[in-house]
Amino acid sequence: MNDPEKSPFEPMPDTDPNESPETTDAQTADAERELQTARRRIIAGSLLYAGGAAITLLTYRLAEPGGRYVVATGALLWGLVELVRGFAKCIALRHRTGDRRTFRRTVAAAIAAAVAVAATGLTTIRSVSGTEPELARHEQRIAIPELKMRITIPAGLTTADREHMPETDTTFAVHRISAWNESRIVNAEGIERLLEADGVTSVAEIGEYLDEQAATFLDGGIIGTAEQVWIDSIPMLRYRGRLESRPGWITTYYDLVHAGSLLTLYFSYEASEPDPACEREAEAYIRTLELY
């Protein structure tokens, strides 16, 4: 006689009897590999994006006014693409597993990464594009007592920036001022007492030395030859040329000797060929020089 408490039917299994443990293990292994690939994309994208931003900011900071700098567009864009692909894959995999806690953490990490990327991008854009420089509406009369000189910076340029590198055991003291706008750069600098010991009183005595210095400084090419000029009874050597760092600019500068120091006055402007009007501006700037 059959036991009335025992059902003649066996309960249905919870899983498909045809499914094998090996298939489940293979799927888990595939998912883990996909997750590792996504994580590598996130790491690579972060490094590329951060490196691109760093290169852009560093080269911009090191460039002279009007000079060239690198915008690492490829690294920035590819890094961003890799970040998006990596986080999108991670979120999809976490959602597939049904682990809500891990899914929420992955989404939170993606949001944090998006905020960091946006902040870095805005900082880079603001630093590179910058705001328009504040230009002085009036002339600036600048004195460098150590070189016994005064000169006037034209209106419409930035406030004059001063730089002083003190004398060391192996170098002479250097004094420099500079100002600029989008189409002009003016500088005045001097090496204090460089020629004092040799008793040099005129650039004519050191012409060969100054020619060598010009060939080194104007690394983008010298235009014409050196010219000896007299401006307000002061003998000077005038050079024209280009710098590799500013290929679209022409720099005209004047060397002179005063009180044992070597002085150099620069005027740079954006042009493909020497412009007579700009050259007249340069000479007007030089004529503001006062020696005492």
Side-chain angles (χ1 to χ4, degrees):
M1 189 174 185
N2 295 333
D3 184 352
E5 294 182 1
K6 186 175 181 180
S7 170
F9 302 101
E10 294 293 333
M12 294 294 293
D14 292 334
T15 60
D16 185 349
N18 295 322
E19 182 180 15
S20 65
E22 289 78 6
T23 302
T24 302
D25 291 343
Q27 291 174 344
T28 301
D30 288 343
E32 185 61 29
R33 281 194 295 271
E34 290 184 50
L35 187 61
Q36 291 299 326
T37 300
R39 287 171 177 167
R40 284 194 293 270
R41 287 188 184 278
I42 292 172
I43 294 172
S46 300
L47 293 175
L48 276 171
Y49 191 86
I55 291 171
T56 302
L57 289 173
L58 180 61
T59 57
Y60 177 76
R61 296 293 185 188
L62 294 177
E64 296 181 6
R68 293 182 296 178
Y69 56 91
V70 177
V71 179
T73 308
L76 291 168
L77 292 179
W78 189 246
L80 186 59
V81 168
E82 289 294 277
L83 274 171
V84 171
R85 292 175 67 183
F87 273 113
K89 191 64 176 180
C90 277
I91 290 172
L93 290 170
R94 294 305 188 188
H95 183 268
R96 189 189 306 169
T97 61
D99 187 341
R100 293 186 177 181
R101 176 178 293 182
T102 306
F103 173 75
R104 286 195 295 268
R105 288 178 179 174
T106 305
V107 172
I111 294 173
V115 171
V117 166
T120 303
L122 286 174
T123 300
T124 304
I125 291 171
R126 287 173 180 172
S127 298
V128 172
S129 61
T131 57
E132 290 296 323
E134 185 175 350
L135 305 181
R137 298 181 180 180
H138 53 79
E139 295 179 341
Q140 305 170 68
R141 190 64 175 169
I142 306 297
I144 306 179
E146 295 85 353
L147 301 176
K148 299 181 179 181
M149 62 164 284
R150 300 185 189 90
I151 197 164
T152 299
I153 303 296
L157 302 179
T158 58
T159 300
D161 181 41
R162 293 174 178 263
E163 185 179 358
H164 171 224
M165 290 176 282
E167 183 177 359
T168 69
D169 293 338
T170 57
T171 61
F172 292 92
V174 177
H175 304 269
R176 182 180 295 118
I177 59 172
S178 60
W180 59 281
N181 61 22
E182 291 184 352
S183 60
R184 300 285 188 274
I185 304 172
V186 299
N187 302 79
E189 68 177 31
I191 306 176
E192 188 179 342
R193 298 186 294 107
L194 172 67
L195 307 171
E196 185 177 62
D198 296 325
V200 175
T201 60
S202 171
V203 287
E205 301 172 44
I206 54 171
E208 291 185 5
Y209 166 76
L210 295 176
D211 288 346
E212 292 175 1
Q213 293 296 103
T216 301
F217 174 68
L218 297 171
D219 53 6
I222 295 177
I223 299 173
T225 58
E227 301 171 279
Q228 184 165 357
V229 297
W230 291 75
I231 297 180
D232 294 340
S233 301
I234 304 171
M236 305 181 186
L237 278 179
R238 178 171 59 195
Y239 297 87
R240 293 187 187 90
R242 301 182 188 278
L243 307 180
E244 286 188 354
S245 60
R246 292 197 298 271
W249 291 62
I250 292 175
T251 295
T252 298
Y253 74 88
Y254 300 72
D255 283 327
L256 64 143
V257 176
H258 175 61
S261 299
L262 177 63
L263 311 184
T264 307
L265 311 176
Y266 303 86
F267 189 94
S268 300
Y269 57 94
E270 190 171 10
S272 57
E273 298 293 337
D275 185 335
C278 293
E279 294 294 318
R280 288 192 292 272
E281 284 185 49
E283 187 166 326
Y285 163 63
I286 302 305
R287 287 188 181 280
T288 68
L289 175 66
E290 178 186 349
L291 303 176
Y292 57 90

